[in-house]
Amino acid sequence: MPVAARGREVPKIIDLSAEYLVIDLSAGPDATAYPVSGLPDIPPEGWTEEYKTTKLVLRRIEAGKFIMGEDQKDKSHRVTLTKPFYCGIFDVTQKQYELVTGDKPSYFNNISHYATRPVERVSYNTIRGLTRGAQWPVSSEVDSGSFVGKIRARTGLSFDLPTEAQWEYACRAGTTSKYNNGTDSEDNMKQLGRYWDNGGSNSSESCSTQNGTATVGSYLPNAWGLYDMHGNVWEWCLDRYGTLVYGTDPKGSSSGANRVRRGGSCGNVAVFGTSSHRLDSGPSTEDKYGGFRLVRTLEE
């Protein structure tokens, strides 16, 4: 049975084998529950603005194997993910974050453009919590007042940040190249995401989406339909920063004070946004170049 949210039963999922999951956030931060539904395919009109503001969409990613890290020829770096998972097709946007928490923390907050930009200036601690949420990989629990805690309570589903392995697997979408369109050239990242030499420079707090962060989904998706895995904002992962861990369903290093961020940002040059590049960040870090996307791992 789904868990209760403030005395109410959370709506049940229509179909956990659906290609897409859609969380309806339109009831806002005072909602007792968020309806979750399944979609078999991309809507005929595409991912319109509602899917970047009042609805949050995740795509089903099947289990599989890949080589993790920069050296794609080293078979000792093979990772096996035994469980399918749903992954956000976009980073969580400023409007989605506002509808869940009531807060608007972001630096790039131009009133005409903020809603569909990725939320930033959010720390690992804010997303998961300072107490229970800080225990990964010992525990997957989160603080009830955190962003993930609120999403879990209002949907009855165990959403979270991706592990570092899940993030790279989803980003690569079957590729072994530096960038997930199958190329190693920095010039190709111009098609894939916002970075310093592609609109990220000369940015100010009130800039439009021509500079700073871009509206999510402004660039080409990877083969699995995920957008902005390269550039725009660094994305938090669950794992502690340390030596990469390979094998079956890895949970990262068991020690280390900092956490991993992936994907580069609008404030970095292209090479920081490759599929394998890692950033070492303190869990309380809140900067204008850091955001996140959600996943939901399935137990089948």
Side-chain angles (χ1 to χ4, degrees), residues 105-266:
S106 299
Y107 175 83
F108 295 110
N109 57 19
N110 183 311
I111 191 64
S112 299
H113 303 282
Y114 86 96
T116 55
R117 283 174 137 161
V119 69
E120 16 87 5
R121 294 208 301 198
V122 286
S123 68
Y124 183 98
N125 292 339
T126 301
I127 297 164
R128 302 193 82 246
L130 278 165
T131 53
R132 292 182 177 180
Q135 300 306 310
W136 178 270
V138 175
S139 168
S140 61
E141 292 185 13
V142 298
D143 292 25
S144 60
S146 68
F147 179 91
V148 172
K150 291 175 180 179
I151 283 283
R152 288 185 181 185
R154 296 170 192 170
T155 62
L157 295 172
S158 53
F159 292 105
D160 212 330
L161 295 173
T163 66
E164 190 173 9
Q166 286 176 323
W167 190 95
E168 186 171 330
Y169 178 68
C171 175
R172 288 188 177 280
T175 62
T176 58
S177 49
K178 288 184 177 180
Y179 303 102
N180 62 23
N181 61 353
T183 67
D184 293 327
S185 169
E186 292 184 13
D187 287 340
N188 284 276
M189 192 172 157
K190 290 180 179 178
Q191 306 170 44
L192 301 173
R194 177 65 55 84
Y195 62 98
W196 183 258
D197 300 311
N198 192 34
S201 61
N202 300 319
S203 56
S204 66
E205 185 175 4
S206 60
C207 67
S208 75
T209 51
Q210 297 302 306
N211 295 107
T213 54
T215 294
V216 297
S218 294
Y219 297 89
L220 294 177
N222 68 10
W224 293 346
L226 307 179
Y227 294 82
D228 304 310
M229 301 295 289
H230 297 304
N232 222 11
V233 290
W234 288 103
E235 299 181 16
W236 286 105
C237 295
L238 276 172
D239 300 353
R240 297 184 183 279
Y241 187 92
T243 303
L244 279 172
V245 178
Y246 311 107
T248 300
D249 298 322
K251 294 183 176 180
S253 175
S254 60
S255 63
N258 291 347
R259 300 287 175 170
V260 175
R261 292 198 287 179
R262 288 290 204 116
S265 78
C266 65

Side-chain angles (χ1 to χ4, degrees), residues 49-66:
E49 186 166 309
E50 69 174 319
Y51 294 105
K52 303 174 184 181
T53 53
T54 60
K55 294 179 179 179
L56 194 157
V57 186
L58 303 93
R59 184 170 190 179
R60 184 181 170 102
I61 306 295
E62 298 301 335
K65 299 178 180 181
F66 75 111

